[in-house]
Amino acid sequence: MTVRQFLSRPSGWFIVLFGAWWSLLAIFYLFPQIDIWVAHAFFIKSVCGSMDSQGRVCGSFPYGTQAVFIVIRRILFYLPALVAIYLLYRLLANFQHHGTTYCRRKTRDYSIALTAFLIGPLVLVNMILKEISDRPRPYQTDFFGGGHVFMPAGDFQGACVNNCSFVSGEAAGAGWLACLIVLMPKPLRAILGPPLISISLISPALRVSFGGHYFSDVTLGWLSSLVIYAGVAACFEMSQRERKRELQTNL
């Protein structure tokens, strides 16, 4: 099997993306200074006011206080959920058609997208990883004026109790938006694909500049949605292949 044939199937993309996710996690875990360096680029130190602040780091992430960036972040925060609601509407509308007007491909594509959204950003990221990872956010750590000890990506022994930094839920939602390129007609993917990917990268960038997440949190969060999307598509492909095999056997 050639590389092109391997990547022509969702299962091939799932294997590649799954391996890339774990490889990046290993890199971020072994070289935690990457996260510290990137966060320091957006952190501005200031003079501590209290007398008992010896050895303490004081400062802030100024991008997180600018109104225009706050508004953009709010819009991008709700965008994946709004798009998911729209896709659900399109799926239900497609079910209203019968016979020649019913499109099986739309049902498959919308179902894959919605299933990936539920499994990835909602369940795996926001309901599981962010609750058990225990990783403090940058502004909560002692490197950036907080009271908790910095923990590398993948280390689940931090002091965060809930809604923790690993991985970024907003980055996962943005990564899911990037996956929707596959729903576009092929002639439009080269035109609309790059702007969609650019938009999907704004949210992770803002989270890092706000001090809300480390670079590893947003990178792995964004990539996690691609992994889940490819995995769901591969499962749909295998189920369709099995259904065709059963029909041929019955005949």
Side-chain angles (χ1 to χ4, degrees), residues 4 13 25 53 123 142 153 181 243:
R4 177 172 294 184
W13 278 106
L25 176 59
S53 60
V123 177
D142 48 5
I181 292 176
R243 190 178 299 114

Side-chain angles (χ1 to χ4, degrees), residues 116-127 169 172-173 176 225 228:
F117 182 75
L118 289 173
I119 295 176
L122 286 184
V123 177
L124 178 63
V125 173
N126 283 298
M127 297 179 64
W176 177 79
S225 289
I228 296 297

Side-chain angles (χ1 to χ4, degrees), residues 5-20:
Q5 289 174 328
F6 180 73
L7 295 178
S8 65
R9 296 179 176 180
S11 56
W13 278 106
F14 173 74
I15 293 173
V16 171
L17 292 169
F18 187 75

Side-chain angles (χ1 to χ4, degrees), residues 153-168:
D155 191 327
F156 286 19
Q157 300 179 27
C160 177
V161 178
N162 60 2
N163 193 25
C164 302
S165 191
F166 185 85
V167 291
S168 170

Side-chain angles (χ1 to χ4, degrees), residues 129-142:
L129 281 177
K130 290 177 67 65
E131 297 302 318
I132 68 173
S133 64
D134 296 339
R135 189 186 197 191
R137 299 173 183 272
Y139 66 81
Q140 295 175 325
T141 59
D142 48 5

